[in-house]
Amino acid sequence: MEIALLAFFAIGYFVLAGADFGIGMLLPHLGRSPAERGRVLAAITPFFLANEVWLVTALGVLAGAFPVLEGELLSEHYAVFTALLLGWVTRDAGIWLRGRVDRAGWRAGCDTAVVAGSWTVALSWGTLLAQTVEAAPPVAVPVIAAVAVLFCAHGLALAGLRLRDRPRERARRPFGASGERTVYALTTGGTVLVCLLAGSRLPLAENLADPATLALLTPTATVLVPLLVGTQVWLWWSLGRIRPAG
Amino acid sequence: MDTLDLARLQFALTAGAHFLFVALTLGLATLIAIMQTRATLTRSAVHERMTRFWGRLYVINYAMGIVTGLVMEFQLGMAWSGLTHFAGNVLGGSLAMETLVAFFVESTFLGLWIFGWDRLNRWAHLGVFWVVTLTAYASAYWVLVANGFMQNPVGAEVSGGVLRLTDAAAVLGNPTALTAFGHVLSASLVVGAFFVTGVSAYHLRRRTAEREFFRRSLRIGVFTGLPALLAVAAFGGAGFAFVQPTKEALFEGDAAEVARLQAEAVTAHGSAAGLADHLPPMGLVQAGAILMFIAFVVMLVVAVPSALLALSRRAVLGMRSWHVVLIAAIPLPFAAVLGGWVFREVGRQPWAVYGLLTTEEALSDLSPGVLRFSLTAFAVLFALLVAVNVWMLARNARRGPVTAPSLLDEPSDAPAGPVPVAAAF
């Protein structure tokens, strides 16, 4: 059950936030003017914190149900997690602060922060995957590149769903005849597979927390999951119909 | 500096930056929840505009609290894997609960609140903000359960080299956690109240157009600040009953007693790494406590007459010398909060979990090089974030209530009229 909870939150993060990273990575391609880039980011701004919190919760479940493994994973990959955090914070600050100052230089700086931060996050996850599957250096590079491509494709699919006009056309161009829904479903499937593959390499079952802890944590978490998903469904339902004009 | 010092400094910078942002976030949330409740109940236009103006400042600050909090959560596992290894059965559970019961819902509802302003039913929108506020409190509770356990480990026993939970109720009701929770919540209310009061005083002193708006805001700030200040002292005093003997001796400057306690600990836990050669720095512990007490006394000296002056409409609108004092008082609660935090956290060294696990034992196996890199990178990033945050807050506070496309956008300079239902904000 604990493994299912961890998988649920981790997969939820990569599926939801992964598309945000892709959009951030391809921001200069999707939006060719500051105003267009503003509309591209406006498509993800109401949701990105709510998407990222899936990872925070996955980390919480990891710390609660697999505490020894949590410490070992994070400290073993200390440098990559440092890069991940630096990219993450830079990216979030860029999204959050972009509209706050109505000056061209400020917007350009924030766009740069979003793009650089998104690439750093994507490449850090790629590196972590390569390290988790213990890929030898010649294999690691294609693994990292494949992760970046997956994030980009997933982001384009979301951009196709959420944007309008020219940014939407740019997002849809690589899809050929397939619709953005099909691509989104495919990239979601790919993301889930990668998560399951990486998760299967982690020594989860042998690192469970003490039964006394799990006796409290697991039922509470299980009961809460529908409620948590419900809050997010409300968010998507209330705000998902807004398509920023492009 | 050795690896331990670098890792401690890094965690201190992260937690310190986080605490500054979060104290303001928590305090402002409470005040905004009150303003929005009044706006919703009475359809009062001025309270609706107050919710938007203070909400804008709240949202600027909120994101900074989140990103520093993320770095802190990861750092626990990255740099202190000895702690998760030894105490994970207790601390991990409380961090998991923090994310599940509080943070997940809080982040989701914050998006709903910011972007749902004209889309949600007004009662639903008010409910959303109360959920954001209450989940923020719940976050603080769960974090302080973890911290309280590290200060005063109860409800668990060591077996097979790790801690195992024996009495969850004792962990959840740990007096060190509960008194700290009350202390931190009321302290954050003081931070928020002094902030609202100071910004309002700035506008009243400048005689800007929004006199009624800031007269009401100032009164809300003053009438919350004084009781919150008294609550801070009450919870702080109650917490003193549970202060560890070493911290007390350090605070009192009793070097002989510190040495005696140290020798006693070495006899009891001789094998614990770093116990014999790491003493908490007495000067820093005392400086933290003194800063906290002095800031408290000054705040009280400001808050008591302010509560009387705020009864007079003429004083609120026109007493400019008082306004200067209120503006100057904005940083005081931040100083007190940092001082108190240094006292609490530095004062329990060299223990990570008091009496059970030393900080040196908690440290991950890391090279000084990688720590020097991450410390430098995080320090630069946080310095930038603090600077941008202070600048943004000052900029938006000075402009007063103005219209903007959303709480995340720069307002235009046209003053906002009373906001009609479903107007752009």
Side-chain angles (χ1 to χ4, degrees):
Chain A
M1 192 65 211
E2 292 79 15
I3 296 178
L5 280 169
L6 179 65
F8 181 71
F9 284 107
I11 290 173
Y13 165 74
F14 284 106
V15 168
L16 294 168
D20 294 349
F21 298 144
I23 288 180
M25 292 159 83
L26 297 174
L27 184 63
H29 166 69
L30 291 169
R32 301 290 165 86
S33 66
E36 272 188 359
R37 285 192 283 278
R39 287 192 289 271
V40 172
L41 287 179
I44 59 170
T45 308
F47 311 99
F48 82 102
L49 280 183
N51 293 342
E52 289 172 352
V53 82
W54 286 71
L55 178 67
V56 181
T57 308
L59 189 68
V61 171
L62 190 64
F66 312 90
V68 173
L69 184 65
E70 192 244 10
E72 280 174 6
L73 273 181
L74 290 177
S75 58
E76 195 180 315
H77 305 287
Y78 185 93
V80 190
F81 275 112
T82 302
L84 175 78
L85 288 170
L86 293 170
W88 185 353
V89 171
T90 307
R91 178 180 173 281
D92 280 15
I95 296 177
W96 205 250
L97 298 172
R98 189 183 189 276
R100 291 242 178 256
V101 180
D102 195 9
R103 276 185 220 143
W106 178 266
R107 278 189 292 264
C110 287
D111 287 346
T112 311
V114 172
V115 177
S118 301
W119 276 96
T120 309
V121 168
L123 297 178
S124 303
W125 282 124
T127 310
L128 282 167
L129 176 69
Q131 290 178 350
T132 310
V133 299
E134 288 163 29
V139 188
V141 175
V143 167
I144 296 168
V147 169
V149 169
L150 183 58
F151 279 134
C152 285
H154 198 44
L156 287 177
L158 183 72
L161 289 167
R162 302 268 309 127
L163 296 172
R164 285 198 285 187
D165 305 332
R166 281 177 26 213
R168 174 161 183 257
E169 285 158 26
R170 285 182 204 123
R172 283 171 43 87
R173 204 168 298 145
F175 302 163
S178 331
E180 53 266 33
R181 281 172 199 278
T182 317
V183 178
Y184 190 83
L186 286 173
T187 49
T188 300
T191 308
V192 174
L193 279 178
V194 173
C195 291
L196 293 177
L197 167 75
S200 69
R201 302 296 296 253
L202 297 177
L204 291 167
E206 45 279 57
N207 274 302
L208 274 170
D210 191 60
T213 303
L214 296 179
L216 291 172
L217 180 62
T218 312
T220 317
T222 312
V223 169
L224 282 171
V225 164
L227 179 78
L228 300 186
V229 173
T231 62
Q232 293 235 323
V233 170
W234 191 27
L235 177 75
W236 301 326
W237 181 78
S238 306
L239 306 179
R241 285 163 297 178
I242 318 157
R243 272 201 185 196
Chain B
M1 270 204 265
D2 61 9
T3 321
L4 179 63
D5 292 330
L6 290 167
R8 281 186 57 204
L9 183 59
Q10 176 173 288
F11 196 80
L13 283 178
T14 312
H18 180 64
F19 199 23
L20 284 182
F21 293 128
V22 165
L24 182 58
T25 304
L26 270 177
L28 270 183
T30 314
L31 296 174
I32 293 167
I34 295 167
M35 293 171 190
Q36 190 173 359
T37 304
R38 272 197 75 172
T40 311
L41 284 175
T42 64
R43 288 193 176 269
S44 145
V46 67
H47 286 98
E48 157 91 32
R49 293 174 65 228
M50 279 159 67
T51 309
R52 284 175 198 261
F53 171 72
W54 297 109
R56 166 181 300 280
L57 300 176
Y58 164 80
V59 166
I60 291 173
N61 195 63
Y62 188 97
M64 303 297 166
I66 285 196
V67 294
T68 47
L70 292 175
V71 177
M72 198 165 78
E73 194 192 358
F74 275 80
Q75 242 182 63
L76 274 178
M78 285 164 66
W80 306 103
S81 58
L83 180 65
T84 48
H85 185 95
F86 175 73
N89 285 321
V90 184
L91 299 183
S94 122
L95 293 179
M97 291 302 288
E98 193 261 336
T99 60
L100 283 161
V101 241
F103 194 48
F104 193 98
V105 176
E106 189 185 346
S107 287
T108 310
F109 274 50
L110 184 79
L112 267 171
W113 187 69
I114 296 174
F115 296 97
W117 212 297
D118 306 314
R119 299 185 178 96
L120 296 179
N121 166 293
R122 51 206 287 273
W123 292 98
H125 193 240
L126 173 68
V128 163
F129 195 71
W130 272 106
V131 172
V132 172
T133 308
L134 295 176
T135 47
Y137 287 1
S139 266
Y141 169 73
W142 286 106
V143 169
L144 286 167
V145 165
N147 176 275
F149 182 82
M150 291 163 73
Q151 301 276 348
N152 173 33
V154 291
E157 62 178 26
V158 184
S159 89
V162 299
L163 278 168
R164 290 178 207 281
L165 193 63
T166 52
D167 184 356
V171 175
L172 301 181
N174 187 345
T176 316
L178 294 182
T179 50
F181 180 58
H183 190 59
V184 164
L185 270 197
S186 36
S188 63
L189 202 51
V190 173
V191 174
F194 271 64
F195 180 79
V196 168
T197 311
V199 171
S200 304
Y202 171 85
H203 282 272
L204 293 167
R205 184 180 145 74
R206 293 273 307 266
R207 302 197 193 283
T208 55
E210 299 284 354
R211 291 164 66 80
E212 182 60 15
F213 184 103
F214 287 111
R215 185 186 71 85
R216 286 174 180 274
S217 297
L218 183 138
R219 283 167 54 100
I220 291 176
V222 167
F223 292 139
T224 323
L226 182 58
L229 207 49
L230 300 176
V232 167
F235 283 113
F240 248 88
F242 307 101
V243 160
Q244 303 92 346
T246 328
K247 198 184 285 177
E248 200 172 346
L250 285 162
F251 173 62
E252 287 164 355
D254 188 345
E257 175 69 2
V258 174
R260 192 188 68 74
L261 288 163
Q262 176 84 352
E264 204 178 279
V266 171
T267 314
H269 316 271
S271 59
L275 184 58
D277 41 56
H278 273 97
L279 255 186
M282 187 180 281
L284 189 57
V285 174
Q286 286 180 329
I290 289 167
L291 178 64
M292 177 177 79
F293 284 124
I294 290 180
F296 171 77
V297 170
V298 179
M299 284 190 279
L300 202 61
V301 168
V302 173
V304 172
S306 292
L308 295 173
L309 286 170
L311 295 171
S312 149
R313 189 186 174 90
R314 267 182 61 190
V316 172
L317 292 177
M319 197 171 159
R320 298 175 78 186
S321 51
W322 176 40
H323 295 154
V324 175
V325 174
L326 293 178
I327 298 166
I330 293 178
L332 286 173
F334 289 101
V337 154
L338 273 190
W341 176 76
V342 164
F343 172 59
R344 183 173 170 94
E345 300 306 323
V346 178
R348 76 177 140 113
Q349 296 300 323
W351 296 108
V353 181
Y354 198 80
L356 295 174
L357 184 82
T358 61
T359 316
E360 190 167 327
E361 291 171 318
L363 184 67
S364 300
D365 183 18
L366 298 169
S367 76
V370 72
L371 257 172
R372 240 177 247 124
F373 168 75
S374 64
L375 170 62
T376 313
F378 284 129
V380 170
L381 190 61
F382 290 157
L384 267 173
L385 288 178
V386 172
V388 168
N389 192 55
V390 170
W391 176 62
M392 287 274 167
L393 286 176
R395 193 169 185 264
N396 281 276
R398 268 202 305 269
R399 295 186 109 161
V402 279
T403 45
S406 88
L407 288 191
L408 288 178
D409 291 307
E410 175 164 30
S412 66
D413 280 322
V419 179
V421 183
F425 54 95

